Structures are given as C-alpha cells and as structure tokens.
Amino acid sequence: MSLMMEILHDLTPLNRVICSSDYDKTIEYLQKILPFKVIEYQASEEYNGWVIPPKWDVKEAKILKDGKVIYDGKWHALAVISLSQRFHGKVDLQELKQHLHYDHRYDDSITFHFRQLFRSWQREWGFCVPKTFYDGLQEGEYEVVIETEESQGSLKMLEFTQKGELSETFTFCANLDHPGVANDGLAGVVVGIELFRRLVGKSTKFTYKLVLAQGIMGTEYYLGKLDKNERERILECACLWMLGSQTGLALQESRGADSNLEQAMAAVMGGLGIPYRRGAFESIIINDEYIWEAYGIPSCSLSRMPYPEYHSSRDNCSLMSEACLEEAVGVLEKTVELLDASSLVYKKFEGNICLSNPRYDLYIDLGQVAFGDALSDERRKMRLLMDLIPTLQRPVTTKSLADRVGLEEACVSDYLSRWAAKGLLEIR
C-alpha cells in the first residue's frame, strides 16, 4: 500500500470537523510525514464576520425506542450533524423527523450536514440518517441522547514551503477538514503531500508552498492574516480537490483564465495524452478558489468533479484509486518542472509605449492588404504578443505567453529579450 493510500485509510474515519480533537490528531499525524508549520488562530480573532466555532466532539449520540437503541450516531462521522447541540429528552415522531436529515439521492447512505460550522451562532441538534431508516420510523415516543463536549475553538492549518532560488511563490492548497470522507478534501491533501515529498531535497527555481486548511473559513483566515509582503509573493494558487475517484480529471480555470499554473497543467496533460475536461471559473466546482481570487491571487483547480458519491458516506476508501492519485501527482510534478524551466517576465512600465519610436524599435506591423502586404499567421501571432505585453498585471512565464498566442517559446523569448534590453521588462 502506498503512503497516500495509508494516509487515507488512517484519517478518513476521523470526525475532522473544523475544530475538533480528531482534527488535532490529523495535524499531529501529518507533521510526522512532512515538517509542516502549524498556523493557529484563536476564537477571539474574528475576521471579516467569520466566527471560529467551538471545539466540538461527540461523546454519545443515540435514538432509542421502547428502551432499545435504534440508531447509534457514533457509527459514522457524518451521523451527527456538525456542531449539533446537546440534547437529552423524549420526542414524538413528528418532532424527531424535524431533526433528521437524509440523502435524497440514495436510500442507504447519509449526507454531510455542515452549515452550522459556518453559522455557529444558529444551531440545533440533529442526526444524518439513511432514507430507509427515516421512512421506516413508526408513530410513538422516542428518546434522544446527544452528549457533546465543547471548549474554545481554534483554527489550525498546515503550511509547508519548498524554498527556491526566487521568492516568487506558486501555492497548492487542499482542504484538511470534511469528516468521515476520503475523496472530498483528503484525497487532494495526500496528492499535495506526495508532490512536496518529491520536491524535498531538489533545487527549484521558484518557491512552492502547500497549504492545508479548513474549507473556506480556514483559507480566509490564512490569507487575511498573512503578512502582506508574504501574500504579495504568492503569484498564483492551484486548488487540489477530490483526486482519488475514478472520474476524469477536470481543470478549472482561474477567473481571468490566464494563470501560469493552468496553462502549465493543460500543456502537461496534453503532452502526456491524459484526457481531461476544462471549464471556466466556478463552472466545475465552487470552493476556496473565490477566496484566493478575492485577495488578488489567480486560482485554478485540478479535480475529478463531479463524482456521484460527493457529500455522502459513500465517499470512502473503497472509492479511492491509487492509479488516479498517482496520475494527479504526476501531472503536478511535471507542472512544477515546466514552470521551473521557463523564465518569469515582469513588466516595468505603464500604459502603451510607442514601439515604432526608434528608441524602442519593437513594433510589429500587420501590413497593409490594400498595398499588397498580405498578413502572415506568424506576424498576426507576434502582433497579439505585442499587444498582450502592456496588459500584463502580474509576472508571467514565457511558456504561458507562448501558449496564449500560439508561438514557440524560443520565438517569444527572443522578442521579450528585446523589450528587456530597452528596460521595459525584467526577465528572470
């Protein structure tokens, strides 16, 4: 069994809600695999309206009828709704059903009820149950016991940095929470860990960072409270989601659809002949990408969405494919190699330069058809490159520029070097 599969088998059953003892165990477990830095925020550090929930653990959770336990909420990490209130009492069938939630897709699985984690000021008690259980309940009185333990919560996340020759950073992120499931969150975690295990000890041109945080809230705290200078060194982010199922790879573009990471991943998968879908921002999945983008960091994602078992107890280790995990790691490893092999271009001017001025002599003339000067395909692409350069807002690789205009990277590099010689660009 590979280390990726071993991690999945060990951590999937745990009740890894945002703040919990099992989440803390997960942190300690992963620190033994890579020397992660632990970043922690206390409940008193409310940020942008986000409230860190209490640390919450389920001690006992049962539904009884006629003195007999008919449902044990400890059988699965999803069986008690996340952040359920304590409750001890007797209820009739109608009231009980108001606190039971089932998966409308499947009769035999339970679903992930997570809303209270983000709205800890508005809570109720409840269970997630199979639909067959829900439908089979009879009239009568039921006894409900939900005993939880709560204390002040803190957000903990993991960060690992592979320092390169340049401080400019490409970040990969994954979600470390999501109780009791394998593909949703944890599969991306193990792919990210395996990628960085392979980078350790290697010399890289760029700096690479792996961030493992709680979905949405953890990422918001991480970015919002990150030192501004350090945040500005992050060029882009690639989110790693649900990479263990036997569904096809999907590349979701950043909001601007032009990040170096997405261009590199597309080139790698195309070169390896790996079939994949490509979609616009938020057309495949809506997750932490929008948080990164809100801080000015272009964020694409690599996932295997959609997959039928999403947000259900069917998302377990039997769903995991070692070959699919390895395929994802291979794509990311080649992506890093491709990024490192390219030069980074920095714009050093504003507006539009008069490129025909003899001082620069960089103008690409499309020609005059009326005068018999036919437009060639290469000249058209070079003109696209010329017009693209003044619009650059962030550093970009020569490989990404070449892919965007459809030219060979050597040709693009030659033209860019002329701009650099005039002091308009810096190329590293």
Side-chain angles (χ1 to χ4, degrees), residues 355-384:
L355 299 175
S356 61
N357 188 309
R359 187 188 313 164
Y360 302 108
D361 192 25
L362 294 168
Y363 186 70
I364 305 296
D365 193 342
L366 285 179
Q368 295 286 339
V369 177
F371 296 155
D373 187 6
L375 173 63
S376 70
D377 185 56
E378 183 175 358
R379 199 193 305 181
R380 179 183 61 80
K381 292 177 179 178
M382 287 296 295
R383 177 55 183 262
L384 287 175

Side-chain angles (χ1 to χ4, degrees), residues 288-347:
D288 292 32
E289 295 89 351
Y290 81 92
I291 305 291
W292 292 88
E293 291 274 352
Y295 285 92
I297 301 171
S299 179
C300 62
S301 68
L302 186 67
S303 74
R304 295 190 182 276
M305 283 290 283
Y307 68 105
E309 299 83 2
Y310 178 62
H311 273 194
S312 80
S313 56
R314 292 186 172 203
D315 184 349
N316 54 47
C317 285
S318 68
L319 188 68
M320 297 295 92
S321 163
E322 191 166 345
C324 289
L325 293 168
E326 180 59 41
E327 181 182 56
V329 176
V331 167
L332 297 173
E333 193 174 16
K334 291 291 185 184
T335 295
V336 168
E337 292 175 4
L338 190 59
L339 290 171
D340 263 13
S342 190
S343 298
L344 200 62
V345 181
Y346 303 76
K347 190 179 71 171

